[in-house]
Amino acid sequence: EASCLKITVPMFSRNRPVGLLSVLSALDALASGAHEIVYPLIIDDDDALTLENVAYWQSHGLLPAEAVPIIGKRDRALNARMNAACEQYPADAYYFAPDDGFPLTQHWDTIFHAAHTQGIPAWCWLERNAPGDATFICLSEKWRSTLGRRYLDR
């Protein structure tokens, strides 16, 4: 099936803007371009370092057009803010990216498409090329909507 897959990649960061931009740039560069990907950037409103850098990157065209800063108070758990990002940007599949989880897989979005086409509701992306063999959780919309969230809101 060659249809376009919608993928939402909520990314969270606190006081690590270099990691945020590096991971975001890697994800965007390694995507195939065949699928619709949005990157909600979850940033605390008191994280001056990250806010300043994101504003600079936006004003200088250094962020992918699909990167959308979501600035909020730290009065909610990070999990609740990730869940809200999924509600705001519904998709067929979700990948929750930390600011230190570097992807190395070329055309990673085509793997998501294959999982979606096969009806796999949840899977792990195990980055065996990384020195620490990072493992990332990926969910289908079917999984997220059945639970009503990705994580508990605590």
Side-chain angles (χ1 to χ4, degrees), residues 24-92:
L24 175 61
S25 297
L27 282 166
D28 193 54
L30 293 170
S32 70
H35 304 287
E36 181 182 328
I37 304 168
V38 64
Y39 305 97
L41 308 178
I42 300 171
I43 306 166
D44 296 333
D45 66 353
D46 65 348
D47 182 357
L49 180 63
T50 304
L51 290 169
E52 180 181 317
N53 278 276
V54 168
Y56 177 84
W57 300 332
Q58 282 182 307
S59 69
H60 289 80
L62 300 174
L63 289 180
E66 300 80 11
V68 183
I70 300 177
I71 302 162
K73 294 194 176 299
R74 289 186 73 190
D75 62 347
R76 297 179 67 197
L78 176 59
N79 293 345
R81 294 175 64 201
M82 298 282 274
N83 291 333
C86 292
E87 292 286 331
Q88 189 172 352
Y89 296 97
D92 302 308

Side-chain angles (χ1 to χ4, degrees), residues 20 34 58 64 76 89-90 114 135 137 142 145:
L20 177 65
Q58 282 182 307
R76 297 179 67 197
Y89 296 97
T135 302
I137 297 171
K142 180 179 180 181
S145 63

Side-chain angles (χ1 to χ4, degrees), residues 96-117:
F96 303 87
D99 59 9
D100 61 355
F102 293 92
L104 301 171
T105 303
Q106 186 76 26
H107 297 172
W108 59 270
D109 54 321
T110 61
I111 297 167
F112 281 48
H113 186 265
H116 177 73
T117 301

